[in-house]
Amino acid sequence: MANILDGIKLSKQIKQEIKEEVTEYVQKGHRPPHLSALLVGENGASVTYVDNKIKDCHAVGFRSSLVKLPETVTEEELLQEIKKLNEDDSLDGFIVQLPLPRHIDQEKIIMAIKPSKDVDGFHPENFGKMALEMEGFLPATPFGIMIMLERNHIPTQGKDVVVIGRSRIVGRPMSILMSRKGEPGDATVTLTHSRTKDLEEYTKKADIVITALGVPHFLKASMIKEGAVVVDVGITRVEDPTRERGFYLAGDVDYPEVFEKASWITPVPGGVGPMTRAMLLKNTMLAYTRKFL
Ligand code: NAD
């Protein structure tokens, strides 16, 4: 039976730490940290994500602001808005909620964000700094997993880590972070993906398996070794008419059976998700405090 890597409890603790830090700065006469979100269109999931981010800001004493633009906004207009946010000194960081409408070039938009305000850590400058072990912003989900491993004292040095999924925001940065020097880190990492042959060959030998593929219940107990640490990033809505909401949230791990074999495991929901949310606050706090250095 595995120990639970409880993302709800840990994210609450981290938010409490941030709140106390904010209070200290405000008591010294500084303005509170300020995060802004740029939302294009009315996509239901995006609206919910942004609402949650704003709620999180208020919970820790940050100021927050929201720039809402219509679905029909042109790329040029969006770039103008980003320019304004880049130049606004009352703002420590901002995010552009993805995905953007098809007529807008997402890469061009990310490139336009000032790296020192890119609290999502998506700008290539921050990605490069991450790979080079320089100070920047780490993308929220991998950052949250690193903190989760660190705070639960899970050893990573010299361990074999398998990451499943090579997305820019989760799998690939995760593989880089685990291979960096330091603790957590110093691991021997294999980055696997949809073209990997005999995935099980790798997962069966791994001390730590991190799944970020978005295929419900993909990782079975037979695919891991006894006592492995399993981190499940996946969140997929699976239709289920027996539930009030009509769906449930599934991770990439076949939880009941993997739970019996692993030494540590993240539940879904309640594992990586809440940590991701907390890390946006942590990055904003970093953007804020760096100004005092
Ligand atoms: P993505 O869809 O961009 O990429 C999926 C990756 O998985 C690809 O690299 C692909 O090669 C790989 N893959 C797909 N099928 C595979 C298979 N059968 N075997 C091996 N590899 C396979 O993914 P993403 O944006 O990284 O998201 C992955 C999952 O994580 C999704 O369920 C997403 O909702 C979830 N997610 C959760 C959080 C969180 O905070 N918990 C954050 C981001 C993403």
Side-chain angles (χ1 to χ4, degrees):
M1 255 175 34
N3 297 295
I4 306 281
L5 289 162
D6 186 343
I8 296 178
K9 196 169 151 199
L10 182 53
S11 64
K12 273 190 190 152
Q13 192 183 322
I14 286 167
K15 282 194 253 178
Q16 183 57 32
E17 291 165 11
I18 293 173
K19 193 174 173 181
E20 284 166 17
E21 213 182 334
V22 172
T23 307
E24 268 178 44
Y25 277 99
V26 172
Q27 277 170 352
K28 282 184 200 153
H30 300 293
R31 66 159 176 83
H34 180 188
L35 173 72
S36 190
L38 211 156
L39 175 65
V40 179
E42 300 285 338
N43 175 300
S46 293
V47 171
T48 308
Y49 289 143
V50 168
D51 279 352
N52 286 338
K53 287 168 189 177
I54 289 173
K55 268 188 215 147
D56 289 343
C57 281
H58 295 164
V60 297
F62 286 4
R63 213 188 122 195
S64 72
S65 49
L66 173 62
V67 181
K68 274 174 107 171
L69 298 169
E71 186 88 22
T72 51
V73 70
T74 64
E75 196 174 271
E76 196 43 49
E77 286 164 342
L78 184 53
L79 288 168
Q80 278 306 316
E81 285 300 327
I82 290 176
K83 190 165 181 282
K84 275 193 228 161
L85 297 174
N86 282 341
E87 288 167 0
D88 182 349
D89 286 337
S90 77
L91 201 63
D92 302 292
F94 66 96
I95 59 131
V96 178
Q97 186 63 47
L98 302 178
L100 292 169
R102 278 162 184 261
H103 65 276
I104 291 171
D105 180 347
Q106 197 161 290
E107 246 163 53
K108 205 165 168 185
I109 298 305
I110 291 173
M111 292 290 287
I113 299 171
K114 191 174 173 180
S116 60
K117 288 189 172 181
D118 169 40
V119 285
D120 261 338
F122 292 165
H123 191 284
E125 182 174 315
N126 283 314
F127 199 96
K129 283 183 168 173
M130 170 185 63
L132 297 170
E133 305 183 353
M134 293 163 72
E135 196 176 78
F137 295 111
L138 303 180
T141 303
F143 189 13
I145 296 170
M146 296 300 276
I147 299 277
M148 201 174 216
L149 296 172
E150 183 183 27
R151 297 280 182 108
N152 286 283
H153 311 289
I154 306 231
T156 60
Q157 190 181 65
K159 301 290 180 192
D160 289 326
V161 174
V162 168
V163 179
I164 313 177
R166 58 178 164 187
S167 72
R168 290 179 180 192
I169 60 164
V170 189
R172 188 164 299 133
M174 198 62 237
S175 71
I176 292 170
L177 288 172
M178 291 301 277
S179 72
R180 293 198 327 183
K181 283 183 194 143
E183 188 77 37
D186 281 331
T188 306
V189 183
T190 306
L191 180 58
T192 66
H193 45 78
S194 54
R195 299 288 172 98
T196 300
K197 282 186 199 153
D198 295 327
L199 183 76
E200 271 191 60
E201 285 285 305
Y202 300 97
T203 54
K204 271 181 180 165
K205 290 185 199 144
D207 302 302
I208 303 173
V209 180
I210 301 169
T211 60
L213 62 157
V215 180
H217 319 298
F218 177 85
L219 191 82
K220 308 286 179 199
S222 60
M223 295 168 74
I224 64 160
K225 75 176 183 190
E226 193 76 42
V229 175
V230 177
V231 177
D232 188 355
V233 183
I235 312 177
T236 309
R237 279 185 179 202
V238 178
E239 275 185 42
D240 182 354
T242 68
R243 307 215 183 194
E244 205 178 310
R245 289 195 293 182
F247 67 89
Y248 71 96
L249 293 178
D252 292 339
V253 173
D254 193 329
Y255 190 85
E257 56 174 73
V258 172
F259 173 79
E260 294 300 328
K261 200 171 179 186
S263 59
W264 289 91
I265 192 166
T266 57
V268 175
V272 176
M275 291 302 294
T276 299
R277 275 175 72 171
M279 290 307 111
L280 178 62
L281 300 174
K282 205 158 171 74
N283 273 342
T284 306
M285 196 69 213
L286 278 172
Y288 174 78
T289 52
R290 276 177 195 157
K291 294 187 177 152
F292 296 100
L293 298 176

